[in-house]
């Protein structure tokens, strides 16, 4: 006995929201044993052969191993994303904490902030995956697609599968003055410490390798990257980037943020 099957496979891109590759493979399995007939075994054997043929398909191989951002550029030009500016934070730091999220991926977690009620999140993403899990301040999880990525600044824009979420308005007009109080919010050392807030001041602004950074003594640790730095009114002024660690690999009060 045996089985022959034809399987149609499709690769779906969650950023483009469409199928970007389709192929059909065949699989065959024969069992010349004259004993009991195992129909399930026949089907599993044929499916295994079809999967082997899929893995050997060069088109499938190229799509799966390609850079997701190259796939996006090859299929659709990067169009500007118009974000709806949130209302001013009526409740200051309370609103800022409500808009702070934890971004969880296969290799760890970072922080982020919702910058539009349509569900757009500015965040640090810890791997190259296109789909991430985002934990809201209410500790409810929502899936999101990475729709833009800046490898120089190591930040990404994520579109959540939901909208009408609490969002944080970006401060406009002027940067915070040196000495002005600021507050860092995020998930230091993992999502179990989500929505942790620390206070400091703007220490200075620095140019490092041609990039502008805000320096502050507001404490951040591993896991804070991508989380918001806000002023005392609750406006977003920067996102957490890195710290100058001590020998124990913890923050010593010299921390850098992307303004």
């Amino acid at each position: 006995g045996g089985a022959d099957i034809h399987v149609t496979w499709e690769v779906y891109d969650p950023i483009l929201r469409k199928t970007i590759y389709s192929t059909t493979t065949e699989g065959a399995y024969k069992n010349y044993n004259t004993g009991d007939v195992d129909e399930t075994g026949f089907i599993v054997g044929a499916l295994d052969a079809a999967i082997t043929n899929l893995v050997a398909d060069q088109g499938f191989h190229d799509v799966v191993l390609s850079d997701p951002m190259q796939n996006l550029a090859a299929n659709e030009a990067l169009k500007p994303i118009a974000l709806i500016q949130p209302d001013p934070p009526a409740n200051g730091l309370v609103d800022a904490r409500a808009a702070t999220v934890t971004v969880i991926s296969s290799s760890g977690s970072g922080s982020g902030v919702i910058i539009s009620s349509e569900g757009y999140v500015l965040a640090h993403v810890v791997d190259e995956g296109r789909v991430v899990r985002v934990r809201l301040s209410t500790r409810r999880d929502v899936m999101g697609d990475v729709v833009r990525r800046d490898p120089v600044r190591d930040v990404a824009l994520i579109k959540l599968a939901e909208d009408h979420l609490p969002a944080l308005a970006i401060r406009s007009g002027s940067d915070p003055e040196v000495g002005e109080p600021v507050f860092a919010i995020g998930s230091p050392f993992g999502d179990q410490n989500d929505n942790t807030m620390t206070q400091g001041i703007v220490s200075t602004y620095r140019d490092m390798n041609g990039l502008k950074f805000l320096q502050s003594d507001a404490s951040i640790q591993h896991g804070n990257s991508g989380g918001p730095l806000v002023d005392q009114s609750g406006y977003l002024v920067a996102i957490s980037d890195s710290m100058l660690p001590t020998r124990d690999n913890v923050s010593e009060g010299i921390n850098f943020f992307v303004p």
Side-chain angles (χ1 to χ4, degrees):
D4 293 276
I5 62 173
H6 293 72
V7 182
T8 298
W9 311 89
E10 293 184 342
V11 178
Y12 179 78
D13 191 312
I15 297 177
L16 299 176
R17 300 183 184 277
K18 67 179 182 180
T19 299
I20 59 172
Y21 185 74
S22 178
T23 188
T24 299
T25 61
E26 300 179 4
Y29 179 80
K30 303 293 183 183
N31 186 347
Y32 298 101
N33 190 337
T34 57
D36 294 337
V37 175
D38 181 7
E39 295 181 352
T40 301
F42 294 164
I43 296 173
V44 171
L47 180 60
D48 182 67
I51 293 173
T52 299
N53 291 331
L54 173 66
V55 174
D57 182 275
Q58 187 61 46
F60 174 77
H61 184 272
D62 292 343
V63 168
V64 171
L65 296 184
S66 63
D67 185 328
M69 292 299 108
Q70 289 181 355
N71 285 343
L72 180 60
N75 286 274
E76 181 176 302
L78 289 176
K79 300 177 182 178
I81 297 176
L83 302 180
I84 298 177
Q85 177 76 349
D87 294 331
N91 300 301
L93 298 178
V94 174
D95 289 349
R97 295 187 72 215
T100 303
V101 301
T102 304
V103 179
I104 304 170
S105 63
S106 58
S107 58
S109 65
S111 299
V113 56
I114 304 173
I115 57 173
S116 170
S117 60
E118 298 169 294
Y120 284 100
V121 173
L122 193 61
H124 167 73
V125 178
V126 295
D127 62 22
E128 294 299 316
R130 286 178 286 178
V131 179
V132 294
R133 181 160 52 99
V134 175
R135 180 157 296 165
L136 306 179
S137 61
T138 58
R139 298 196 62 78
R140 186 169 60 85
D141 289 353
V142 178
M143 299 307 295
D145 296 337
V146 179
V147 295
R148 296 290 189 275
R149 198 186 291 269
D150 183 347
V152 176
R153 285 294 199 175
D154 198 21
V155 296
L157 185 68
I158 301 169
K159 177 63 174 72
L160 299 182
E162 295 185 13
D163 53 15
H164 296 94
L165 296 169
L168 195 57
I170 300 173
R171 174 166 164 165
S172 60
S174 63
D175 292 331
E177 299 286 344
V178 172
E180 185 174 333
V182 286
F183 303 81
I185 313 172
S187 304
F189 303 116
D191 65 290
Q192 68 274 16
N193 299 314
D194 65 321
N195 231 264
T196 296
M197 178 184 292
T198 59
Q199 181 177 0
I201 63 169
V202 176
S203 303
T204 189
Y205 289 91
R206 297 197 181 278
D207 185 295
M208 296 188 291
N209 299 318
L211 300 175
K212 182 180 178 180
F213 288 89
L214 182 157
Q215 180 183 321
S216 174
D217 61 346
S219 178
I220 59 173
Q221 307 292 345
H222 296 291
N224 271 102
S225 294
L229 184 74
V230 303
D231 62 19
Q232 54 192 344
S233 297
Y235 283 96
L236 177 66
V237 298
I239 61 171
S240 301
D241 183 82
S242 59
M243 62 181 183
L244 186 65
T246 63
R247 292 181 180 179
D248 297 326
N249 206 31
V250 296
S251 173
E252 63 175 11
I254 300 177
N255 307 296
F256 300 104
F257 301 80
V258 178

